[in-house]
Amino acid sequence: MQHLLLAFTLIISVSATAQKAVFIIADGIPADVLENNNLPTLKSIAAAGTYTRAFVGGEKGSYSESPTISAVGYNSLLTGTWVNKHNVPDNAIRTPNYSYPTIFRLMKEQLPAKKTAIFSTWTDNRTKLVEGDPTMGAGSIVIHADGFELDTLHFPHDKNSDYISKIDDTVSTAAALSIRTDAPDLSWVYLEYTDDMGHRYGDSREQQDALFKLDNQVKKIWEAIQYRQKKFREEWLIIITTDHGRDAKSGKHHGGQSDRERSTWIICNQPFNTYAERFTPGIVDITPTLIHYFNISMHLPQLYEADGISLLGKTSVAAPHAFFYQGKIDVSWKRIDTTGKVFIYISPTNEFAKGKEDVYTRKAEATAKTLSCTLDVTDMPSGMYKIVIEGKYNTVNYWVYTEEQKKK
Ligand SMILES: [Zn+2]
């Protein structure tokens, strides 16, 4: 029997398919611009899986409202949280709150043997957002191709940003080659030229040309992935998205909360789940998707801060909301898979943001049909509460500021 078991284990381990993933951020492409251009590679990837509209910017007018600015969006993707948590409100990336782990740190902590890679037209993405976290440190992303924008000898800066287009070419070529030869388990590719053309020309022929260049760059990466899938026992997930839209008037600007600036898109080579069909996904949903794909988990205190929901697999709850009135908090949510109960937890502190832990109290439980509850919090006076709604397959959270300390 033992021999049989051993043989069985061997077969399992030999035939196990390696899971690999690549996510690409193409900078500053509003959903309508993407949809109005017939981009062959992006179209073919979407045809194999999913195209969906998505959003950035957090909840408009609420505590999680986030500027529609590049690095804000990247860090929302990486940490699965909005700016009120990750604390990167602009491109200066001065003081990210590393209490909220990036997908790269979760990979390093839980799957240390996995190879991670960053191919980027902007070096800060690796050095500040990912390796700036002291639990990561310089050199923790072993495979990388970046720093070209600092190399003015080989990429002399010109007024038309042609050098950025050349860097995007170099970066995407490096990514494709690395995928073919090293097959990193998790790769982040960042390409910038589409945003430069948007800033310079707005909605224009030049922006369209930049989109077709982007499509060709993604093609190299997609072909490398298809090569790996044919030649090796590997499953590849590719997710392509953008970090923000642009203003409706000229298409030159972004940063605000208009519909077009908040409106983005996600393309994936795998079909998304019921949650993604019923709700508009956010950029914060991508890290939970990768967590699901790699079958890793967050520690409970980290999970209680996650603002996103996986776009793959089963999910239980979404669309959390809560408000405070006269010593009570009214909590509501939506159900997706209705299996199992829902538990409501509350914490009157935010120690997590300081690298410590909060104490949560279970205040209520609900069955499949219940979509709201009222919590009496007169016994725990506070200026701010964190509410966690925990379902069988996922957990969502919402913060409440009481009237005295109301925060935008
Ligand atoms: Zn951007």
Side-chain angles (χ1 to χ4, degrees), residues 329-379:
I329 294 174
D330 212 58
V331 186
S332 63
W333 59 90
K334 298 276 194 319
R335 290 298 301 259
I336 305 157
D337 184 307
T338 52
T339 316
K341 281 185 177 172
V342 165
F343 299 101
I344 317 298
Y345 296 85
I346 186 164
S347 166
T349 58
N350 187 19
E351 294 297 311
F352 188 92
K354 303 174 212 159
K356 299 175 196 157
E357 282 193 20
D358 298 292
V359 178
Y360 284 87
T361 307
R362 186 192 281 189
K363 275 277 190 182
E365 61 177 76
T367 53
K369 284 180 184 166
T370 316
L371 296 175
S372 66
C373 68
T374 302
L375 312 177
D376 190 331
V377 291
T378 45
D379 59 335

Side-chain angles (χ1 to χ4, degrees), residues 285-340:
D285 293 337
I286 292 173
T287 273
T289 305
L290 294 167
I291 287 172
H292 172 88
Y293 180 74
F294 285 112
N295 200 20
I296 56 181
S297 54
M298 287 178 134
H299 300 303
L300 211 55
Q302 296 170 337
L303 187 67
Y304 283 2
E305 302 289 339
D307 289 330
I309 298 172
S310 175
L311 302 168
L312 298 171
K314 287 184 176 177
T315 54
S316 303
V317 283
H321 191 76
F323 63 91
F324 177 85
Y325 70 98
Q326 297 169 0
K328 294 187 176 66
I329 294 174
D330 212 58
V331 186
S332 63
W333 59 90
K334 298 276 194 319
R335 290 298 301 259
I336 305 157
D337 184 307
T338 52
T339 316

Side-chain angles (χ1 to χ4, degrees), residues 115-245:
K115 277 185 280 184
T116 50
I118 295 177
F119 310 96
S120 174
T121 300
W122 196 9
T123 314
D124 286 357
N125 288 345
R126 176 176 59 85
T127 54
K128 292 188 179 177
L129 295 178
V130 177
E131 294 183 346
D133 179 348
T135 58
M136 293 290 284
S140 52
I141 304 294
V142 177
I143 302 172
H144 57 85
D146 57 16
F148 305 109
E149 80 275 22
L150 309 170
D151 176 3
T152 50
L153 189 67
H154 294 99
F155 298 95
H157 295 197
D158 62 300
K159 272 190 172 170
N160 287 325
S161 286
D162 285 348
Y163 76 103
I164 291 292
S165 180
K166 288 193 184 97
I167 293 174
D168 281 355
D169 266 336
T170 305
V171 163
S172 53
T173 302
L177 182 66
S178 179
I179 287 168
R180 274 175 194 269
T181 54
D182 316 316
D185 298 284
L186 175 65
S187 303
W188 174 15
V189 182
Y190 165 72
L191 304 169
E192 184 186 312
Y193 187 62
T194 42
D195 188 57
D196 285 24
M197 291 303 98
H199 280 297
R200 195 170 305 261
Y201 301 104
D203 302 312
S204 59
R205 164 60 55 191
E206 286 83 356
Q207 186 193 44
Q208 286 185 321
D209 290 347
L211 254 75
F212 281 90
K213 283 194 169 110
L214 166 75
D215 193 76
N216 261 321
Q217 289 154 354
V218 174
K219 186 181 179 195
K220 288 183 280 188
I221 295 166
W222 180 229
E223 284 174 352
I225 287 174
Q226 287 171 312
Y227 163 80
R228 291 298 308 189
Q229 293 197 133
K230 262 190 214 118
K231 294 269 180 181
F232 301 89
R233 205 180 287 274
E234 293 169 356
E235 180 197 356
W236 285 77
L237 180 78
I238 182 170
I239 295 173
I240 309 153
T241 191
T242 192
D243 52 349
H244 51 81

